[in-house]
Amino acid sequence: MKTKIGKYLVSVLVVVAVTGCSGAPQPHLDGEALLKTKCAGCHNLDMPPKTYKDEKAPPMMAVAFHVKDFMKVDSPSDKKPKFIDFFKDYVLHPDAKKSFCDKESLASYGLMPSQEGKVTKAEVGAIAEYVFDHYDQNAFMKLMKEQARFDALPKGEQIATKNGCLTCHGKTKRKAAPAFTAIAKKSPAEIKKVILNGSKGRWKGFERMTMPAFKGRISEARIDTLIDWMQHGLHVSH
Ligand code: HEC
Ligand code: HEC
């Protein structure tokens, strides 16, 4: 009992020390969460960004890439601290003269309103650090390549991938669930019924796993496309 209370007191003291008075170490700020609550009202955060007709501000990815490209640094290691400093200054004191935005975009969006009072300098620092790391050109190129690979897949396989079918089913090999090529021998109507309603215990060797029901989660038209791919797109001889 005594030790429990002792432990409790220690943890209270630690919390006070961390969050208490200024001068004490700052609590960790979650840059990603702050970006979402403080900046997403105007900036689109997707990578790659979807662009909207009447967007209020450039997408955050565009901002990050732009600032990284145009910022002058003496050595690559200066880039991140300078990026963070620019954010800390610009978000609280926006100014057309400081902006890396081209004149045309600046005119169409209008200058960013100062966020003073809505976000603290320390919070902007945490946001900037996250933005610098997250909107990374190499990560973006990788994403684009993955997207291109996905776009090149047959429509039915895209639907299967997006809905997680292939985490349980192999296309040609049995995994946690029977292979699609083995399932494909059944009639389209039978297959469709199972996809809509789920199933359990029908396949030998998979009794402990459940096939979830997808009714309402995938449109019937998409299920038909999926089945067509399963039966004609997997290029296996039956
Ligand atoms: C009310 C809308 C609004 C909000 C909220 C907002 N911004 Fe902006 N922001 C803009 C607009 C508009 C621009 C483009 C014009 C400009 O550069 O001033 C912009 C541009 C920027 C730039 C680019 C400056 C440059 O020179 O390219 C940065 C950096 C930026 N915003 C960071 C942030 C961060 C971080 C937050 C959240 C703390 C935030 N913004 C919240 C509207 C907003
Ligand atoms: C959580 C794992 C899991 C996921 C995700 C999953 N399945 Fe299944 N699926 C199974 C299992 C296990 C079975 C075998 C069920 C049985 O034995 O009754 C199965 C069986 C099937 C069958 C054949 C049933 C029969 O009786 O012949 C079809 C068709 C099927 N799944 C399609 C799909 C499709 C399409 C998706 C994605 C939309 C999907 N599954 C997602 C686990 C899964």
Side-chain angles (χ1 to χ4, degrees):
M1 197 60 180
K2 215 174 177 186
T3 52
K4 256 194 186 160
I5 290 175
K7 262 189 201 155
Y8 174 71
L9 276 180
V10 168
S11 56
V12 166
L13 287 176
V14 168
V15 169
V16 169
V18 172
T19 57
C21 32
S22 56
Q26 290 284 329
H28 176 72
L29 293 169
D30 184 344
E32 180 178 12
L34 285 164
L35 176 69
K36 284 181 185 151
T37 51
K38 308 278 184 180
C39 317
C42 294
H43 293 280
N44 179 330
L45 305 183
D46 297 327
M47 179 163 82
K50 303 172 188 78
T51 36
Y52 300 100
K53 253 208 192 108
D54 30 278
E55 42 180 32
K56 294 187 197 140
M60 196 46 80
M61 187 187 92
V63 169
F65 285 8
H66 218 72
V67 175
K68 281 182 190 179
D69 282 347
F70 286 91
M71 209 176 43
K72 289 187 185 66
V73 284
D74 297 325
S75 94
S77 61
D78 291 345
K79 204 154 192 165
K80 189 166 174 179
K82 219 173 157 187
F83 182 94
I84 295 172
D85 283 345
F86 172 76
F87 263 58
K88 280 182 174 167
D89 177 54
Y90 196 85
V91 170
L92 301 174
H93 312 288
D95 184 333
K97 285 197 286 286
K98 295 179 205 163
S99 175
F100 288 107
C101 224
D102 56 280
K103 296 271 169 302
E104 226 168 88
S105 317
L106 206 56
S108 77
Y109 290 120
L111 190 69
M112 165 159 148
S114 169
Q115 299 301 299
E116 200 150 29
K118 297 188 171 126
V119 65
T120 67
K121 204 170 201 168
E123 287 172 335
V124 177
I127 291 170
E129 183 164 8
Y130 171 76
V131 166
F132 186 91
D133 292 338
H134 178 70
Y135 298 100
D136 173 76
Q137 274 97 334
N138 292 327
F140 175 67
M141 289 312 292
K142 218 173 128 205
L143 270 176
M144 293 305 284
K145 271 193 204 139
E146 276 164 21
Q147 185 64 45
R149 215 177 297 136
F150 181 79
D151 290 343
L153 294 175
K155 194 91 193 135
E157 187 166 356
Q158 289 184 14
I159 297 165
T161 304
K162 261 200 180 146
N163 290 285
C165 314
L166 297 172
T167 59
C168 291
H169 293 276
K171 286 188 275 182
T172 57
K173 290 197 186 87
R174 54 178 287 161
K175 286 166 54 176
F180 273 166
T181 43
I183 290 171
K185 291 169 187 150
K186 302 199 168 186
S187 78
E190 205 177 344
I191 293 175
K192 188 167 179 175
K193 215 168 99 189
V194 171
I195 298 174
L196 289 172
N197 302 317
S199 142
K200 187 175 168 68
R202 283 160 43 104
W203 282 74
K204 249 188 130 98
F206 302 97
E207 290 87 353
R208 291 167 67 189
M209 290 283 296
T210 304
M211 161 72 193
F214 286 90
K215 194 179 247 165
R217 291 160 65 191
I218 315 176
S219 72
E220 295 214 15
R222 286 177 160 255
I223 291 177
D224 291 339
T225 306
L226 208 165
I227 294 170
D228 188 59
W229 164 72
M230 219 188 260
Q231 298 198 304
H232 306 289
L234 288 173
H235 305 297
V236 280
S237 46
H238 290 233

